Amino acid sequence: MTPLINLAADEQKSQAVTDWAARIGWVVGLLLFIALVYWLMREGWKWRGALQGDLPELPAVPADAGEPTLTMEGRYHGSTTAGQWLDRIVAHGLGTRSRTVLTLTEQGVTVVRPGAQDFFIPAERVRGARLDKGIAGKVLAEGGLLVITWAHGDREIDSGFRSDQAAEHAAWVKALTSSHHLNSDTEGAR
């Protein structure tokens, strides 16, 4: 009886893979599909940048911006058309997320981004500041994002920042919406 059990156990082996060409074809097809998706995403990013080609160059950081009022280290999450938190602006590097150091002076807000283009928001162009929860596909806890609304060319732009110390956001909103840094024809924080 023992030989019958051994014979049954020998018969339950899986079949050896003999069609390697089909398996390799599937793997190559999958890799080509993934490459196509990434290429289409890249082309879409470039197309969006071309559509926003009318956006003027970003203001350069002045050599002497003045004495810092506030400084904040954190992350830059992107810029969108004001009021449209998913309409990302990618022209001139505004779509590139990066680490950042924000500095508020009498002249405006200096945005220093290692690995990306630095820019400056002149004080007369600041339209408001608020705490929000999302911008350009990045969603955080309520009030976890400092959003600065500013005019650039003929557009109003929302730029989103998150401090390493979230408690700093309220001081930035207060400073940016005070009459000293904000044009009198705007509402201030929402």
Side-chain angles (χ1 to χ4, degrees):
M1 194 141 142
T2 307
L4 288 176
I5 294 175
N6 288 340
L7 183 62
D10 287 341
E11 291 177 12
Q12 292 182 5
K13 291 183 182 177
S14 62
Q15 186 174 355
V17 177
T18 56
D19 194 4
W20 283 103
R23 287 186 183 243
I24 290 172
W26 275 104
V27 169
V28 168
L30 180 63
L31 292 175
L32 287 173
F33 176 74
I34 291 170
L36 174 68
V37 168
Y38 277 106
W39 179 78
L40 288 172
M41 288 170 47
R42 182 174 179 261
E43 290 300 308
W45 188 269
K46 288 174 23 181
W47 178 70
R48 179 175 280 274
L51 287 177
Q52 298 167 349
D54 63 333
L55 195 67
E57 285 294 323
L58 296 174
V61 178
D64 182 27
E67 190 66 31
T69 306
L70 287 172
T71 302
M72 178 175 83
E73 289 187 26
R75 270 194 99 47
Y76 169 76
H77 285 290
S79 292
T80 63
T81 303
Q84 299 177 5
W85 74 285
L86 288 176
D87 186 20
R88 181 187 294 269
I89 296 176
V90 300
H92 307 299
L94 286 175
T96 306
R97 291 185 177 166
S98 62
R99 292 286 303 162
T100 189
V101 176
L102 288 180
T103 306
L104 177 65
T105 64
E106 295 289 325
Q107 293 183 15
V109 180
T110 302
V111 182
V112 177
R113 302 185 302 153
Q117 182 181 355
D118 300 341
F119 62 96
F120 181 71
I121 304 172
E124 65 272 5
R125 294 188 188 175
V126 174
R127 299 292 183 250
R130 67 183 186 278
L131 297 180
D132 213 331
K133 64 181 178 181
I135 193 165
K138 181 67 174 180
V139 179
L140 302 163
E142 187 68 44
L145 197 65
L146 168 66
V147 177
I148 300 173
T149 303
W150 56 290
H152 184 58
D154 60 348
R155 294 188 191 189
E156 284 200 354
I157 297 175
D158 284 341
S159 294
F161 305 91
R162 178 163 175 83
S163 174
D164 291 339
Q165 308 296 323
E168 296 177 338
H169 291 167
W172 275 82
V173 170
K174 184 178 178 183
L176 288 169
T177 57
S178 70
S179 61
H180 189 274
H181 286 303
L182 185 64
N183 289 342
S184 60
D185 62 343
T186 61
E187 299 177 17
R190 294 180 202 163

